[in-house]
């Protein structure tokens, strides 16, 4: 005697060895013996052989027309043998009964299971919905296959083009567009990014990087809804100074300006004047929400996305020729010793006489020019000549302040590498297309004008950080416990030392038009100025305010993403510079061992770090000549091959300030992680470097 039974959702048949009231021992064709519950046995038979019955039953099941079987089925619960007799004949064979069982079991949209071998026909309306869903799924699958075939032929269907960035970076793995890319990737044995690139899905490398950044950070676009810019208080006193800013020519959000009074009297007052949108923008307002959503201005070569609408920026930027609302820090300094004897913070309107542009003046304002009044430089602007004595004093003060900080730091600040400035010709400040001609110039770190502005900002940020702490008003601080390797700068609400800068506390407050944390700190500083000892009660943010921690977390993430994009775009334009100027070889300095047996080197005259083969055994700091390989504008990748060593002996590279060397040495091509499940696509599922 044989038995057909169901076990764990599968139908099996075998020879019955023994039988009890509730179970039976059954031997399968494989020789395996299983214990089967009596309720699971659906048919008992002498002939045919078990394997033959299963085979014949499957063949019969394939012939059963399910719509017709559904019509034949009774309204009440029924058994499979009952349907076989209704569908075939009253004398339905074992194969026909088994076929009915298999067909019913495999068609849950027509027949619901009501027990072992028992079924109930689905209601008509439910059946129609199920059939419609099955048809839809069939059509979608056909579409997936068609799209995959198009991709394989090097053509990109429009729906996939429209979903490109979602497919690559935040895929919905149930979406047909995603499945088509996976199918095509598997069929062509190409990584999805390579597949889509070859299919023409990417309009241009620049647009790829730009749209990816917008997809991740500005999914609703970069425009602002119309706003009414709040006006500053009308009763602000007018400061008795003539201030001037020092910025790059492309700067439109001018946050800071300086003034000097009392030269020649023995006591000098340095004014550090910061744009004051915090005097009118209130926490929780519509404009505040705009700033809090963006958290910072985004910079990139030739373009920027501002944190605040232009209507707001134009009111509070420290433009020349007008009196601008400002939070001013006045620092009293002994003219002979350059020692600071006192500070005072005021809310006022500050007349700005001129906006100096350091990229136009750095070649004039040198150490020698500041030290020797007899030195003349052709075409020196009159506005600069009028402030020569002040700038000379400020430079001596900046050098003194830097030296004092270095004592606290325990080692000098070093500026081993220049800053690089990118200029694009042809876009006139509009969104670049990627086809512009790029020029790259250098600017020495620690140049006089740069040092003057930097030290003034440090004085303001550290002084105001202490002011907040003294008044018990929380702020957002940057701190660093020590200069030990791996000790990072952190943001928090406590006034802790910043070892890298060499100050007791440091709160960003000098760029409120460009960084949201500076605006938050400005609100808190304004409360201290207006309310004195009761400032903690009046400040917008109270101690242990959960909102402050939320702002810190959001800012850290956004600022990191924005800086990463800026670095990526600077690398993109550096690679374009190589191509536009037909540069195939360059001189570089060995940094450290890189991936795949290569060594990372830094170009001597460009902001470029790249892996080079053939540099094994060369020490850190060795200077080499490198031949460049092909440039990949999508991954921002370029490799090199060692041509020659340029120095004779091993040279140790001087470590950069605050560990920047190691951090920047790891910078390189942008990682493009294509999130395609490797289990679904045996072909390489990611393109990244």
């Amino acid at each position: 005697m044989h038995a057909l039974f169901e076990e764990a959702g599968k139908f099996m048949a075998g020879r019955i060895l023994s039988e009890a009231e509730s179970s039976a021992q059954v031997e399968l064709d494989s020789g395996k013996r299983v214990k089967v519950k009596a309720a699971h046995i659906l048919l008992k038979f002498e002939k045919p052989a078990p394997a033959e019955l299963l085979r014949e039953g499957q063949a019969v099941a394939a012939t059963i027309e399910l719509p017709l079987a559904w019509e034949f089925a009774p309204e009440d619960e029924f058994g499979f043998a009952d349907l076989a007799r209704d569908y075939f004949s009253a004398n339905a064979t074992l194969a026909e009964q088994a076929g009915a069982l298999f067909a019913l079991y495999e068609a849950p949209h027509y027949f619901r299971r009501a027990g072992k071998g028992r079924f109930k026909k689905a209601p008509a309306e439910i059946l129609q919905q199920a059939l419609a869903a099955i048809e839809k799924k069939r059509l979608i699958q056909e579409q997936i296959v068609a799209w995959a075939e198009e991709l394989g032929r090097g053509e990109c269907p429009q729906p996939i083009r429209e979903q490109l960035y979602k497919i690559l970076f935040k895929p919905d793995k149930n979406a047909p567009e995603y499945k088509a890319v996976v199918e095509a990737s598997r069929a062509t044995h190409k990584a999805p990014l390579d597949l889509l690139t070859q299919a023409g899905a990417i309009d241009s490398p620049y647009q790829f990087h730009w749209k990816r950044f917008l997809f991740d950070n500005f999914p609703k676009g970069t425009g602002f809804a119309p706003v009414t810019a709040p006006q500053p208080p009308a009763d602000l006193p007018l400061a008795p100074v003539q201030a001037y800013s020092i910025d790059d020519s492309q700067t439109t959000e001018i946050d800071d300006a300086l003034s000097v009074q009392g030269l020649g009297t023995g006591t000098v007052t340095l004014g550090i004047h910061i744009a004051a949108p915090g005097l009118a923008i209130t926490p929780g307002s519509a404009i505040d929400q705009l700033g809090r959503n963006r958290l910072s201005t985004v910079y990139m070569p030739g373009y920027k996305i501002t944190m605040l609408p232009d209507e707001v920026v134009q009111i509070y930027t420290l433009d020349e020729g007008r009196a601008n609302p400002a939070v001013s820090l006045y620092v009293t300094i002994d003219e002979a010793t350059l020692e600071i004897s006192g500070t005072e913070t005021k809310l006022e309107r500050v007349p700005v006489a001129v906006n100096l542009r350091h990229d136009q003046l750095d070649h004039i304002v040198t150490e020698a020019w500041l030290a020797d009044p007899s030195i003349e430089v052709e075409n020196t602007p009159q506005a600069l000549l009028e402030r020569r004595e002040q700038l000379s004093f400020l430079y001596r003060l900046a050098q003194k302040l830097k030296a004092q900080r270095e004592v606290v730091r325990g080692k000098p600040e070093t500026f081993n590498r220049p800053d690089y400035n990118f200029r694009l010709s042809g876009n006139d400040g509009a969104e670049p297309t990627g086809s512009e001609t790029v020029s790259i110039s250098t600017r020495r770190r620690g140049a006089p004008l740069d040092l003057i502005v930097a030290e003034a900002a440090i004085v303001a940020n550290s002084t105001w950080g202490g002011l907040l702490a003294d008044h018990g008003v929380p702020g957002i601080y940057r701190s660093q416990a020590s200069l030990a390797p791996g000790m990072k700068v952190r943001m928090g609400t406590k006034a802790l030392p910043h070892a890298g800068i060499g100050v007791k506390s440091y709160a960003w407050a000098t760029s409120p038009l460009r960084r949201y944390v500076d605006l938050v700190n400005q609100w808190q500083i304004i409360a201290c100025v207006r309310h004195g000892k009761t400032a903690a009660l009046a400040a917008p943010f109270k101690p242990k305010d959960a909102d402050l921690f939320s702002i810190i977390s959001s800012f850290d993430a956004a600022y990191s993403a924005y800086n990463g994009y800026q670095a990526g775009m600077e690398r993109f334009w550096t690679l374009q510079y190589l191509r536009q100027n037909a540069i195939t070889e360059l001189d570089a300095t060995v940094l450290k061992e890189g991936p795949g047996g290569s060594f990372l080197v830094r170009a001597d005259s460009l902001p470029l770090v790249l892996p080079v083969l053939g540099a094994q055994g060369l020490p850190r700091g060795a200077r080499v000549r490198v031949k460049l390989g092909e440039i990949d504008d999508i991954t921002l990748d370029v490799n090199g091959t060692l041509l020659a060593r340029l120095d004779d002996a091993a040279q140790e590279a001087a470590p950069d300030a605050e560990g920047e060397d190691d951090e920047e040495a790891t910078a390189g091509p942008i990682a493009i992680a294509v999130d395609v499940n490797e289990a679904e696509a045996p072909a390489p599922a990611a393109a990244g470097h």
Side-chain angles (χ1 to χ4, degrees):
M1 180 68 69
H2 305 304
L4 173 67
F5 61 93
E6 181 188 347
E7 191 71 34
K10 294 182 179 180
F11 293 107
M12 293 181 282
R15 184 167 64 92
I16 298 176
L17 299 177
S18 63
E19 221 174 338
E21 182 177 347
S22 60
S23 64
Q25 283 282 344
V26 178
E27 183 180 55
L28 304 179
D29 284 351
S30 65
K32 181 180 179 181
R33 297 183 177 186
V34 294
K35 183 178 181 180
V36 182
K37 293 181 179 179
H40 291 186
I41 297 177
L42 303 173
L43 282 175
K44 292 182 180 180
F45 56 97
E46 293 287 348
K47 294 181 180 179
E52 185 178 346
L53 178 64
L54 291 174
R55 186 168 56 253
E56 291 178 356
Q58 292 292 351
V60 170
T63 69
I64 293 177
E65 297 181 25
L66 290 172
L68 184 61
W70 185 84
E71 292 289 347
F72 273 110
E75 296 297 328
D76 297 329
E77 183 183 312
F78 60 90
F80 68 92
D82 299 328
L83 182 70
R85 286 187 284 271
D86 289 339
Y87 187 87
F88 294 106
S89 70
N91 298 316
T93 65
L94 279 172
E96 290 171 338
Q97 292 180 46
L101 172 64
F102 299 157
L104 290 168
Y105 192 86
E106 295 297 330
H109 47 295
Y110 279 98
F111 304 99
R112 297 177 177 178
R113 297 166 198 163
K116 297 294 182 180
R118 305 288 297 173
F119 299 90
K120 186 171 176 41
K121 66 189 294 184
E125 63 275 11
I126 300 299
L127 174 61
Q128 292 306 312
Q129 293 175 9
L131 291 175
I134 291 172
E135 177 64 11
K136 181 180 179 181
K137 185 176 181 179
R138 184 187 68 80
L139 293 174
I140 290 175
Q141 185 57 40
E142 288 182 357
Q143 183 66 81
I144 290 171
V145 172
W147 284 341
E149 290 176 350
E150 285 186 63
L151 288 169
R153 295 194 301 268
E155 304 168 8
C156 185
Q158 188 60 31
I160 290 178
R161 186 187 299 275
E162 293 171 355
Q163 295 288 319
L164 175 66
Y165 300 95
K166 187 173 183 180
I167 291 169
L168 290 176
F169 305 116
K170 291 184 180 178
D172 173 3
K173 295 186 178 182
N174 292 317
E177 295 86 356
Y178 172 84
K179 290 182 177 180
V181 173
V182 171
E183 180 65 27
S185 176
R186 179 172 54 202
T188 60
H189 301 286
K190 294 178 182 177
L193 182 60
D194 294 337
L195 174 77
L196 291 165
T197 301
Q198 294 169 17
I202 298 171
D203 297 327
S204 74
Y206 184 86
Q207 286 300 310
F208 174 78
H209 296 293
W210 172 241
K211 290 180 179 178
R212 180 194 174 181
F213 174 72
L214 296 182
F215 176 79
D216 287 338
N217 299 280
F218 293 88
K220 296 181 180 179
T222 61
F224 289 102
V227 296
T228 301
Q231 298 297 317
D235 59 348
L236 291 175
L238 182 65
V241 300
Q242 289 294 306
Y244 46 91
S245 65
I246 304 173
D247 291 282
D248 183 87
S249 294
Q250 294 180 315
T251 301
T252 57
E253 303 153 288
I254 303 175
D255 286 297
D256 56 278
L258 303 173
S259 66
V260 177
Q261 302 175 78
L263 280 178
T265 67
T267 301
V268 176
T269 300
L270 164 64
I272 305 170
H273 311 285
I274 306 302
L279 288 170
I281 298 174
T282 56
S285 65
I287 293 180
D288 171 42
Q289 287 303 313
L290 294 178
R292 184 161 179 176
N293 287 338
R294 297 203 173 184
L295 294 163
S296 172
T297 290
V298 185
Y299 295 96
M300 66 205 80
Y303 197 59
K304 66 180 176 182
I305 304 171
T306 60
M307 181 181 78
L308 295 172
D310 190 58
E311 302 94 306
V312 177
V313 172
Q314 291 308 312
I315 292 175
Y316 295 95
T317 185
L318 302 183
D319 272 347
E320 64 185 17
R322 69 183 196 186
N324 302 281
V327 178
S328 298
L329 176 68
Y330 289 99
V331 184
T332 305
I333 303 161
D334 185 288
E335 189 171 3
T337 65
L338 301 178
E339 293 297 325
I340 295 175
S341 59
T343 60
E344 182 182 12
T345 302
K346 295 182 178 181
L347 311 179
E348 56 190 6
R349 288 183 300 125
V350 175
V352 177
V354 63
N355 297 137
L356 300 178
R357 304 298 184 174
H358 63 68
D359 54 309
Q360 300 173 1
L361 303 176
D362 273 344
H363 69 286
I364 300 174
V365 186
T366 63
E367 291 90 336
W369 186 84
L370 291 170
D372 186 353
S374 66
I375 295 177
E376 296 182 2
V377 179
E378 188 177 357
N379 297 323
T380 301
Q382 183 62 31
L384 186 62
L385 290 173
E386 292 172 358
R387 290 159 182 81
R388 185 171 188 172
E389 185 181 5
Q390 293 185 20
L391 291 172
S392 178
F393 171 81
L394 290 176
Y395 183 57
R396 289 191 293 111
L397 174 64
Q399 290 177 303
K400 174 69 176 294
L401 294 172
K402 179 175 180 288
Q404 290 175 335
R405 291 190 300 101
E406 289 175 339
V407 171
V408 179
R409 292 178 85 247
K411 63 178 183 179
E413 287 181 334
T414 56
F415 304 109
N416 291 337
R417 301 190 307 278
D419 287 325
Y420 292 92
N421 296 321
F422 294 77
R423 294 287 186 271
L424 306 185
S425 60
N427 72 318
D428 296 324
E431 180 185 317
T433 64
S435 61
E436 291 81 1
T437 300
V438 59
S439 61
I440 302 176
S441 59
T442 60
R443 178 166 178 259
R444 182 171 60 86
R445 293 186 183 186
L449 290 178
D450 179 66
L451 188 65
I452 288 170
V453 173
E455 291 300 328
I458 291 172
V459 169
N461 288 329
S462 58
T463 300
W464 282 332
L467 176 72
L468 294 175
D470 291 343
H471 285 75
V473 174
I476 298 178
Y477 293 88
R478 293 176 66 79
S479 64
Q480 186 179 22
S482 74
L483 291 180
M487 192 63 68
K488 299 292 185 181
V489 175
R490 302 187 181 279
M491 298 186 74
T493 59
K494 294 183 178 179
L496 300 175
H498 194 307
I501 297 177
V503 293
K504 293 180 180 179
S505 64
Y506 194 75
W508 265 349
T510 53
S511 295
L513 293 174
R514 295 183 280 183
R515 287 190 304 241
Y516 188 71
V517 294
D518 297 56
L519 179 58
V520 169
N521 283 335
Q522 186 173 86
W523 282 323
Q524 303 295 83
I525 292 165
I526 290 171
C528 291
V529 176
R530 285 177 169 169
H531 301 281
K533 294 182 179 180
T534 61
L537 300 175
F541 299 94
K542 305 299 188 287
K544 298 184 179 180
D545 193 323
D547 235 12
L548 278 180
F549 295 101
S550 174
I551 291 168
I552 290 172
S553 176
S554 299
F555 180 84
D556 263 343
Y559 204 61
S560 176
Y562 297 170
N563 284 340
Y565 180 69
Q566 179 181 353
M569 286 301 91
E570 289 179 355
R571 186 176 179 90
F572 173 87
W573 286 110
T574 300
L575 297 179
Q576 303 316 302
Y577 181 85
L578 294 176
R579 183 180 285 120
Q580 291 171 7
N581 291 277
I583 298 174
T584 59
E585 298 179 6
L586 49 76
D587 296 341
T589 302
V590 174
L591 294 176
K592 63 181 182 180
E593 188 171 356
S598 65
F599 273 69
L600 290 178
V601 304
R602 178 184 289 113
D604 289 348
S605 58
L606 289 172
L608 182 66
V609 173
L610 70 155
V612 170
L613 293 175
Q616 292 85 346
L618 293 183
R620 173 184 173 91
R623 296 195 62 254
V624 293
R625 183 74 175 172
V626 173
K627 181 177 179 58
L628 299 176
E630 289 191 13
I631 294 171
D632 189 326
D633 290 326
I634 297 295
T635 61
L636 302 185
D637 193 8
V638 62
N639 296 313
T641 304
L642 180 69
L643 287 178
R645 182 170 179 181
L646 302 179
D647 53 358
D648 296 327
Q651 298 174 1
E652 291 293 327
D656 290 335
E658 298 185 36
E660 291 179 21
D661 183 73
D662 289 338
E663 188 172 317
E664 189 170 318
T666 61
I670 289 182
I672 300 177
V674 183
D675 189 5
V676 176
N677 192 318
E678 293 186 12
E680 297 179 20
H689 297 267

